[in-house]
Amino acid sequence: MPARISILYVDDEPQLLELGRQFLEQKGEIVVSTAESVAGARDMLANKPFDVIVSDYQMPGTDGIEFLKFTRYQYPDIPFILFTGRGREEVVIEAINNGAEFYLQKGGDPLPQFTELAQKIRVAVDKYRAIRDLRKQTFVLEERVKELACLYKLAEVISPQGISLDEMLNTAVAVIPAGYQYPESTSARISFRGKEFSTPGFRQSVWNQNFPLFIDGEWVGAVEVSYTGEWSDAGNAPFLAEESSLLGGIVRLLENSIACRVADERLRDSCGIGPHPVPDTASPPLKSERDLRLAAEKDLRRSRESQELLLREVRQRVKNNLHTVHDLLALQSKYIRDDKVLKTLQESQNRIKAMALVHEILYQSPEITSVDLDLYVKTLAKSLFEFYRSKGKEIVLRTDISGVALGVNTAIPVGLIINELMSNALKHAFPERTTGEIFIRIRKKDRNISILFRDDGAGLPRDMNWRDTRSLGLRMVFSIVEQMKGTIGLDRSKGTEFSMVLEERK
């Protein structure tokens, strides 16, 4: 159930205020607070949030235009409706120029005028809430992108070989603040087995996050993040709730990278590579080649597991951020009335979903580096069939893709091609038929990928220059084929059949 609309209604006529309040509140969706002067309205605004302001123009002391200017300066986002008996053209122009959402003239029969006022209130508040929600979603998206960039950068600095563990930790700690809401006021420290690595000026404050570091079940240190700037909002912390999850992800990446390096150093020492360790009587040296081989296999296995965990962490973040973009477009589409714009937004959502699906399958798959294309195409098709479902139509999908696995850099563009061709077929291929078939065959040999996409529908018009089309989807397909150094052909003899040969991306 939508939240009730909170209105501040300002007028110097008490009887009209009461009449308006009763009418607007009669359906239970609006709550009206009244003020008989601008001074009283200002006091109420300072103590309570409102969704919309409705104000008379001519009032003692301060008129409605001055009140509008004050509101736009102090509360720029609150919708303002001027509801007055003064109908002069210059007042209307001044009200609109100063940011009033609507100008309504009162007088005469109250029923139609308050009915129109209620309708304008709903329109103004819907727009206000949509903009507010859009800003929130945009902010969330920007923060998720920052977090993702932080994890990518961290993955870069902890991966190179040939640098010491101390150098790696010293570089890693400098990356952490950039993932937070206020990086300029955020500092970090990594403690590891008695050593500390921190950003300049690190100090613990009231606002502090702390996650322990464990290697092989042993506590070896901690990662701390501290907000050191000024903060006056006692009801909220400078850390977002999601930033606790970010720090958890940072810690997991560090734990696995440290474990790999420690294991690597131990292996090198055991094999006599590099400086010899000081003998440790508590831990006798390995005595046989078999022991050395088993230790090497164990450390290599741990290294692989660490890399897989790192990849899964990044894949999950990418998937989450793509879903955030998808949800942002979905939110915008709720307030779009133009069918063409709405259609474009929905198609963009499907493209984003196609990309996110690659990362979702990778995250859930035991094989973290490649995508099972048969599973991907069937999952994507299920989503598109549900989206374009037409009552009374039975369109079936047949595939021949068994045994094809692609890396993420190839799976995403191939997925976008399938998404566009299948969307076009579901929209246009079967306009006057209740049944139809879409067939997809994909083969991979060495680095060459062949794709055949066919539908038995109406086919593209004979006089259509399919290589120079206005369709964004087909233009996108041609662009991807060109980027992948491929070729594409079209057979229009029976329905529509596209055939492509692409080069796998490294």
Side-chain angles (χ1 to χ4, degrees):
M1 181 178 178
R4 293 205 294 175
I5 298 171
S6 176
I7 296 176
L8 175 57
Y9 184 15
V10 188
D11 200 303
D12 61 337
E13 298 182 44
Q15 291 181 336
L16 189 61
L17 280 177
E18 181 59 23
L19 181 62
R21 185 188 66 78
Q22 290 180 9
F23 182 89
L24 294 172
E25 289 186 341
Q26 64 182 348
K27 291 186 178 181
E29 62 179 322
I30 295 174
V31 178
V32 181
S33 299
T34 60
E36 296 181 17
S37 67
V38 170
R42 288 184 178 184
D43 291 340
M44 295 177 72
L45 281 169
N47 293 288
K48 179 182 176 181
F50 292 94
D51 293 316
V52 64
I53 297 170
V54 177
S55 175
D56 187 21
Y57 167 68
Q58 195 166 16
M59 295 178 287
T62 305
D63 64 28
I65 296 296
E66 291 302 313
F67 182 36
L68 169 60
K69 292 177 180 178
F70 164 81
T71 302
R72 281 289 159 266
Y73 180 76
Q74 291 288 344
Y75 311 96
D77 294 330
I78 300 179
F80 194 104
I81 299 174
L82 203 62
F83 185 50
T84 179
R86 304 284 295 185
R88 297 200 312 269
E89 183 179 353
E90 63 270 20
V91 176
V92 177
I93 293 172
E94 192 173 7
I96 299 302
N97 287 343
N98 281 283
E101 268 64 33
F102 298 106
Y103 180 101
L104 297 178
Q105 192 167 351
K106 63 184 179 182
D109 186 350
L111 179 59
Q113 68 182 8
F114 281 117
T115 299
E116 183 180 10
L117 176 60
Q119 190 269 336
K120 297 297 186 186
I121 287 171
R122 293 185 190 96
V123 171
V125 171
D126 282 349
K127 179 182 176 183
Y128 164 63
R129 288 178 175 174
I131 292 172
R132 182 188 60 193
D133 291 344
L134 185 59
R135 285 175 179 168
K136 285 181 181 179
Q137 288 290 334
T138 302
F139 172 75
V140 168
L141 175 60
E142 289 171 349
E143 291 303 310
R144 296 298 79 75
V145 169
K146 282 168 56 178
E147 291 175 12
L148 183 61
C150 174
L151 287 173
Y152 267 121
K153 184 64 177 177
L154 184 64
E156 287 179 4
V157 302
I158 66 178
S159 296
Q161 302 299 314
I163 63 171
S164 68
L165 180 58
D166 286 3
E167 289 176 306
M168 185 270 283
L169 292 175
N170 200 46
T171 306
V173 75
V175 173
I176 295 173
Y180 280 75
Q181 182 180 5
Y182 302 106
E184 68 284 351
S185 300
T186 301
S187 56
R189 177 172 66 186
I190 300 173
S191 56
F192 177 70
R193 289 180 174 166
K195 295 182 179 180
E196 291 188 355
F197 310 86
S198 62
T199 55
F202 174 85
R203 61 180 175 85
Q204 289 185 327
S205 71
V206 175
W207 307 107
N208 199 68
Q209 290 183 332
N210 186 312
F211 266 65
L213 279 171
F214 287 92
I215 305 298
D216 293 335
E218 175 193 359
W219 177 82
V220 294
V223 180
E224 297 175 83
V225 177
S226 183
Y227 178 81
T228 55
E230 297 293 329
W231 190 257
S232 58
D233 186 356
N236 296 289
F239 293 130
L240 299 173
E242 294 82 2
E243 288 172 346
S244 178
S245 172
L246 169 65
L247 186 54
I250 289 170
V251 167
R252 286 193 295 274
L253 296 182
L254 288 174
E255 284 176 339
N256 284 277
S257 182
I258 292 170
C260 282
R261 288 177 182 273
V262 170
D264 183 60
E265 289 176 3
R266 186 167 64 244
L267 180 62
R268 289 170 63 87
D269 290 343
S270 300
C271 295
I273 303 172
H276 292 282
V278 177
D280 185 350
T281 56
S283 302
L286 296 173
K287 297 179 180 180
S288 69
E289 182 179 343
R290 179 176 176 276
D291 291 335
L292 285 173
R293 187 172 65 251
L294 290 174
E297 289 175 355
K298 179 181 177 181
D299 289 333
L300 287 171
R301 189 162 54 250
R302 177 185 292 168
S303 176
R304 178 177 173 80
E305 290 171 354
S306 300
Q307 293 301 318
E308 286 188 357
L309 184 61
L310 170 62
L311 281 170
R312 287 188 190 279
E313 186 73 32
V314 173
R315 301 286 188 228
Q316 176 74 347
R317 294 282 174 168
V318 172
K319 177 178 75 80
N320 289 346
N321 281 289
L322 287 171
H323 278 305
T324 301
V325 177
H326 178 276
D327 293 344
L328 181 61
L329 292 176
L331 177 66
Q332 287 180 303
S333 66
K334 290 181 181 179
Y335 303 98
I336 300 297
R337 298 292 177 263
D338 187 302
D339 288 340
K340 289 184 179 180
V341 176
L342 182 60
K343 177 183 173 184
T344 301
L345 276 178
Q346 290 172 337
E347 290 175 348
S348 296
Q349 286 178 256
N350 287 336
R351 291 173 185 129
I352 292 167
K353 189 183 293 185
M355 292 187 287
L357 182 59
V358 170
H359 294 280
E360 186 168 342
I361 290 176
L362 281 173
Y363 184 74
Q364 296 174 354
S365 169
E367 178 53 64
I368 190 66
T369 58
S370 60
V371 178
D372 179 345
L373 206 60
D374 187 45
L375 172 63
Y376 173 79
V377 169
K378 288 176 179 175
T379 308
L380 177 64
K382 181 180 178 183
S383 175
L384 290 174
F385 270 61
E386 289 177 355
F387 182 79
Y388 290 108
R389 181 174 54 228
S390 297
K391 192 174 182 180
K393 286 192 176 183
E394 291 294 332
I395 311 300
V396 298
L397 172 71
R398 286 198 307 117
T399 63
D400 181 8
I401 320 176
S402 60
V404 179
L406 299 177
V408 64
N409 289 337
T410 303
I412 287 179
V414 168
L416 286 172
I417 289 173
I418 300 298
N419 179 79
E420 297 306 321
L421 295 180
M422 194 177 301
S423 296
N424 278 344
L426 291 171
K427 285 188 294 182
H428 306 301
F430 312 101
E432 298 177 358
R433 288 172 48 184
T434 57
T435 61
E437 179 184 275
I438 295 173
F439 174 72
I440 303 172
R441 184 183 71 214
I442 302 179
R443 295 283 187 270
K444 181 174 181 288
K445 184 177 181 181
D446 299 326
R447 293 188 58 209
N448 292 323
I449 303 159
S450 63
I451 302 174
L452 185 143
F453 184 100
R454 181 177 65 229
D455 68 68
D456 62 355
L460 296 177
R462 293 287 176 182
D463 58 351
M464 174 184 173
N465 182 356
W466 64 280
R467 289 187 179 274
D468 186 22
T469 175
R470 297 180 62 184
S471 165
L472 175 61
L474 284 179
R475 291 207 308 270
M476 184 180 296
V477 170
F478 299 148
S479 176
I480 294 172
V481 170
E482 183 178 351
Q483 291 171 23
M484 298 184 72
K485 301 176 182 178
T487 60
I488 183 170
L490 171 66
D491 181 353
R492 288 186 261 203
S493 60
K494 293 181 180 179
T496 301
E497 180 179 296
F498 286 98
S499 56
M500 287 156 274
V501 177
L502 311 174
E503 183 178 304
E504 184 179 18
R505 288 176 171 175
K506 295 181 180 179

